Amino acid sequence: GLQDTRTPLVVAVGGNLLNVVLNVALVYGVGSVPPLGIAGAAIGSVVAQALSALVLVAVVLRAARRARASLRPRGGAVLAAARAGVPLLVRTLTLRASLLVTTYAVTLGAVGAEGGGSGADVELATHQLAMTLWTFTAFVLDAVAIAAQAITGRYLGSGDVAGTREVTRRMVTWGVWSGVATG
């Protein structure tokens, strides 16, 4: 909503770099810090994510204060947002379920058909490659969709009906061509 894409990128990159440093230090140990193994990886990830979240919360709070926006939640608005989010929740759950079921089926099929031999390894590796490419493509398309939502929101917020229609038409065109290219 702030039309600021740079700050989340910087925080995400910084948080991930911190995660790498903490994981190496805590998993393998550094100086007087003993190696913690998998627990060190978990601790490093939680610390990096928590610090990233705190930075982003501070950015939002600062912007809200600057805009003199209330930080008090309003029950009706929270319920409206929850109702509006139901289709997204259903989409996310069904997407996750389909990915898990597909992976499970491929794993069972590969192990059952080949007895777990080298043919199974090739099938599983092929499936993993396809899933990686699919996920990458989905993230790219989601990034475009998020940008489109922010741009559309800006036009709607300013009351520019003609601009809203134009940007919506452009985004739908991009979406169609992206779908064709992805397909």
Side-chain angles (χ1 to χ4, degrees), residues 7 29-30 39 66 70 99 128 142 144 170 183:
T7 301
V30 173
R66 232 185 350 255
S70 173
L99 295 175
Q128 182 59 40
D142 274 353
V144 172
R170 185 178 309 149

Side-chain angles (χ1 to χ4, degrees), residues 3 5 88 91 137-153 167-168 170-172 174-175 178:
Q3 302 287 316
T5 56
L88 183 58
R91 171 194 174 264
T137 305
F139 284 151
V140 168
L141 294 176
D142 274 353
V144 172
I146 290 166
Q149 290 167 5
I151 292 168
T152 302
V167 78
T168 301
R170 185 178 309 149
M171 295 303 170
V172 168
W174 287 8
S178 295

Side-chain angles (χ1 to χ4, degrees), residues 155-180:
Y155 279 96
L156 283 173
S158 69
D160 184 355
V161 175
T164 302
R165 286 191 176 133
E166 173 57 28
V167 78
T168 301
R169 185 196 60 73
R170 185 178 309 149
M171 295 303 170
V172 168
T173 301
W174 287 8
V176 167
W177 285 112
S178 295
V180 168

Side-chain angles (χ1 to χ4, degrees), residues 88-109:
L88 183 58
L89 176 66
V90 170
R91 171 194 174 264
T92 301
L93 291 176
T94 55
L95 181 59
R96 296 288 182 191
S98 68
L99 295 175
L100 288 172
V101 168
T102 302
T103 301
Y104 181 71
V106 168
T107 302
L108 282 183

Side-chain angles (χ1 to χ4, degrees), residues 53-93:
L54 286 174
V55 169
L56 291 173
V57 166
V59 167
V60 170
L61 289 176
R62 191 175 329 116
R65 284 191 194 108
R66 232 185 350 255
R68 292 187 173 92
S70 173
L71 296 176
R72 177 175 294 164
R74 294 185 316 267
V78 171
L79 286 175
R83 276 194 298 278
V86 168
L88 183 58
L89 176 66
V90 170
R91 171 194 174 264
T92 301
L93 291 176

